[in-house]
Amino acid sequence: MQAQAPPRADTHPVRCAERQRVAMLLAAGNPEELPAASLNELISGIAVCCGHTPLKCHRLARGWDVPTTVEMILSLAAEEKIRGFACAPRSLLDWEAGAGMRAQAMDLLCRLYRTGPVQLGLAHDYSPTGASSPDHREPVHPDDRHVPAELTDPVTDTCRGDRWRAPEFARRSITTDDVAVVRTFTETFRLLDNKFGGGHTHAPAAKYLDFTVTSMLRDGSYTEEIGRELLGAAAQLAHLVGWSAYDTGRSDLTERYFTKALELAAGASDLAFSAEILAAKGHHAIHHDNPYEAIELARASQHAARKTAVPALLAEAFALEANGHALLGDSKACTFCLRQAEQAFMHSDAAEFPAWLRYFDERYLAARFAHCLRDLKDWDQARMYSLRAVTMSDDLTRARAFNTAVLATTYIETDLDQACGTGLDALNLATKLRSTRIVHYIGDFRRRLHGHHGNDPAVNRFIAQTVEMSGID
C-alpha cells in the first residue's frame, strides 16, 4: 500500500515550479536535460517551496505536462507488454493528489522517473538510516525557504515576502539600480551592434550575460518584482547576444541564445518580448533559406503578439511570414501577409512602443517589404520600398548597408551603371562593419550582377573594387 502524503493546503501554481526549473537550467548552462544532482535539488526545492506531493514534483521538475506523461506511461506499459493497463490524465492527477494505485502503476512510475517508490512518496523507508521523500522531511518554516523570488507567481503572489537566501553564504542583494545597469549595458551593446556589426559586440555581450548577469540571477537575493525585472532585462540581453551571433554567422550560438532569451522572457511573463524573439528566430530562418520554418515561427510570433497591446509586433510577424511565402514563390500569400502587416502597423502608436521596439518604424517595415518583393522579382515595387528603407538613421549602419544592397539589386536588370554605383555605396558601408551578413548581401548582389551581365567591363570593375575595398573574393 502506498504512503503518498496529501499535498499541502497552500500549494503554489505550477508556474512557480516552472520558474524554478528555468532558473536551474540557466544555472546549469541550459543543457537539454539537467544532471541528476541538479534534478534532485530541483525536485526538493519544488517540494519545499510549492508544497506538491513528491510524485508531482518529479513531473514538474522535468517540465512534463499531464498528457505527455500519460503518453509516456502507456508507451512504457506497451514496451513491457503489460496487458489491460489503463491510464488517463485523470488517473495521473489523482495519483499525484495522493490516491491509491495498483502495483503495476507504481512500478511503471518508478521506471519512468528512474527512481524508487520512497523517492516518489509512494512508500516509507522504515530502516534506521532510511532516506525519506521530500514530503517526509522536517517541516520548513516559510522564512527558511531557499526559493528565488523571481520564481514566484506574479498573479497569485504566493511567495510574497520570501527571499532566496543561500544556506552557506550571504547572497548579494539585487536592486532596481542593478537592473538599470543591465539595461544600460544592453542598450550600449545594441547601439554598437547596429552601427559596427556583431563581430565587435558578440564576445563582450556574451561574456557579460554568461558571467555577470547569470551570477546575479543565480546567486542574487531579490524581491518578486525585482526578480521579474531582472529576468526581463536578461531576456533582452540574451536576445541581443543571439542577434550578434547571427550577424557573425554562428547559427549554433544564435539558436542557443535565442532559446535562452525565450526562457528568460517566459520567466518574466513578458509575452510581448517573447513574440519579438520568435520573430528574430523567423528572421534567422529566412536568412538561411528555410521558408517553412520561417512561416511557422512567424505565425507563432503572431499568436503571441495578438495577446499583447502592441500592434507593431503583429506587423513585424506578418512581414516575416510574407518573406517566407516570397521565398516559396507564393505571391498571393505574400501579398496577403504584407497587407496584414500594413494594416497592423497603421493601428500602432510609436509612443506606446516598448523601448526595445523603437527601431520598428515605417522605414524598417519598408525594408521588410523590399526584401519580400526582391525575392518575388517585382523590381519596381522592391525599388520603391528600398528607396524608403535606405533613409534609416546613420546609427543603423548595418541595416542601411543591407537595404542599399537590396536597392542595388533592383537596378540590375534595367540600369547596370546605377546598379554598380549603388552597389559601391553598399560596399562603402560594409567596410565599416564586422558582419558576416553584409558579406552575404554583397555576395548575393555580385552573383546576380554577373548572372545577368556576365563579364561586362562594368561588372568586372565592380568585382575588382569589391576585392580591393573589402577583401570579399
Side-chain angles (χ1 to χ4, degrees):
M1 183 176 178
Q2 74 179 61
Q4 174 83 353
R8 284 198 330 233
D10 62 337
T11 54
H12 297 174
V14 295
R15 187 184 302 173
C16 180
E18 175 60 17
R19 291 183 178 178
Q20 292 184 60
R21 192 178 75 86
V22 168
M24 185 66 77
L25 283 167
L26 181 65
N30 201 30
E32 291 187 8
E33 292 185 6
L34 283 171
S38 298
L39 181 64
N40 290 332
E41 181 182 348
L42 177 58
I43 292 167
S44 297
I46 293 172
V48 173
C49 168
C50 303
H52 299 302
T53 58
L55 182 59
K56 186 171 183 177
C57 290
H58 274 261
R59 175 172 64 82
L60 295 178
R62 289 168 170 82
W64 298 346
D65 59 21
V66 171
T68 299
T69 307
V70 169
E71 184 178 342
M72 289 190 287
I73 293 171
L74 292 173
S75 176
L76 193 56
E79 290 177 11
E80 297 297 324
K81 297 185 168 83
I82 301 176
R83 295 184 177 181
F85 179 81
C87 176
R90 183 70 261 171
S91 305
L92 179 60
L93 291 172
D94 288 343
W95 296 338
E96 289 182 344
M101 67 183 72
R102 292 185 297 169
Q104 281 182 334
M106 184 185 300
D107 181 69
L108 288 170
L109 288 169
C110 291
R111 289 172 183 266
L112 178 64
Y113 292 119
R114 300 177 185 178
T115 190
V118 173
Q119 287 71 28
L120 293 177
L122 305 179
H124 287 298
D125 183 348
Y126 293 102
S127 64
T129 59
S132 61
S133 70
D135 267 11
H136 302 146
R137 294 178 294 185
E138 290 298 316
V140 179
H141 189 276
D143 288 341
D144 291 332
R145 297 176 185 170
H146 303 302
V147 183
E150 85 281 8
L151 305 182
T152 56
D153 188 86
V155 177
T156 59
D157 198 25
T158 49
C159 287
R160 182 176 58 245
D162 286 352
R163 303 283 289 184
W164 187 9
R165 296 191 303 276
E168 298 177 357
F169 58 91
R171 296 182 183 271
R172 176 192 166 195
S173 179
I174 305 299
T175 68
T176 54
D177 289 341
D178 295 304
V179 177
V181 169
V182 175
R183 294 192 188 281
T184 300
F185 266 95
T186 301
E187 183 58 27
T188 301
F189 286 133
R190 184 179 291 115
L191 290 170
L192 294 171
D193 184 65
N194 286 328
K195 194 171 182 66
F196 301 110
H200 286 287
T201 57
H202 175 73
K207 183 176 181 180
Y208 181 64
L209 171 65
D210 292 339
F211 292 93
T212 303
V213 177
T214 296
S215 176
M216 292 168 67
L217 285 165
R218 183 185 60 219
D219 302 328
S221 171
Y222 34 80
T223 64
E224 175 186 334
E225 181 179 356
I226 291 177
R228 283 201 302 271
E229 291 181 6
L230 181 59
L231 284 166
Q236 292 176 34
L237 177 59
H239 170 265
L240 185 278
V241 173
W243 194 263
S244 60
Y246 168 21
D247 198 43
T248 60
R250 292 294 306 274
S251 293
D252 53 340
L253 292 177
T254 301
E255 289 302 322
R256 172 187 167 189
Y257 283 106
F258 279 166
T259 299
K260 180 177 287 190
L262 272 175
E263 292 174 349
L264 291 164
S269 299
D270 193 339
L271 189 59
F273 197 67
S274 295
E276 174 76 352
I277 300 165
L278 289 167
K281 288 169 70 68
H283 198 295
H284 186 237
I286 287 168
H287 181 73
H288 288 284
D289 292 323
N290 294 323
Y292 293 107
E293 181 182 356
I295 290 170
E296 182 180 348
L297 287 164
R299 288 174 176 171
S301 179
Q302 291 166 27
H303 180 74
R306 285 191 178 96
K307 298 180 181 180
T308 72
V310 189
L313 285 171
L314 195 57
E316 180 183 33
F318 269 117
L320 287 166
E321 182 183 348
N323 210 159
H325 292 304
L327 288 174
L328 293 171
D330 190 342
S331 60
K332 184 177 179 180
C334 177
T335 300
F336 172 80
C337 288
L338 290 178
R339 287 174 180 168
Q340 294 295 311
E342 196 168 36
Q343 290 177 11
F345 186 74
M346 289 174 60
H347 288 90
S348 66
D349 182 356
E352 298 178 357
F353 284 11
W356 45 263
L357 194 61
R358 288 175 186 161
Y359 70 89
F360 193 86
D361 59 11
E362 182 181 357
R363 292 167 296 184
Y364 184 90
L365 188 60
R368 297 313 317 160
F369 277 44
H371 281 72
C372 295
L373 295 162
R374 176 203 61 182
D375 292 337
L376 289 175
K377 296 182 173 58
D378 187 343
W379 304 121
D380 290 339
Q381 288 292 307
R383 185 180 309 119
M384 180 184 74
Y385 284 105
S386 293
L387 286 168
R388 295 183 194 174
V390 295
T391 63
M392 282 183 175
S393 166
D394 289 343
D395 290 334
L396 302 175
T397 305
R398 182 177 56 202
R400 287 175 56 232
F402 297 161
N403 299 334
T404 304
V406 173
L407 177 60
T409 303
T410 69
Y411 289 116
I412 288 176
E413 294 189 7
T414 58
D415 191 334
L416 176 58
D417 290 338
Q418 185 66 50
C420 290
T422 308
L424 281 176
D425 291 339
L427 192 57
N428 281 322
L429 291 169
T431 59
K432 303 174 183 177
L433 299 164
R434 286 179 60 186
S435 166
T436 301
R437 284 195 292 158
I438 190 55
V439 173
H440 171 86
Y441 274 84
I442 298 296
D444 177 72
F445 171 71
R446 275 180 36 170
R447 284 189 294 273
R448 293 174 187 263
L449 190 67
H450 187 270
H452 195 77
H453 295 283
N455 291 319
D456 187 284
V459 175
N460 291 334
R461 282 195 302 272
F462 177 80
I463 292 176
Q465 288 172 309
T466 301
V467 175
E468 179 183 352
M469 294 174 63
S470 65
I472 300 173
D473 194 358

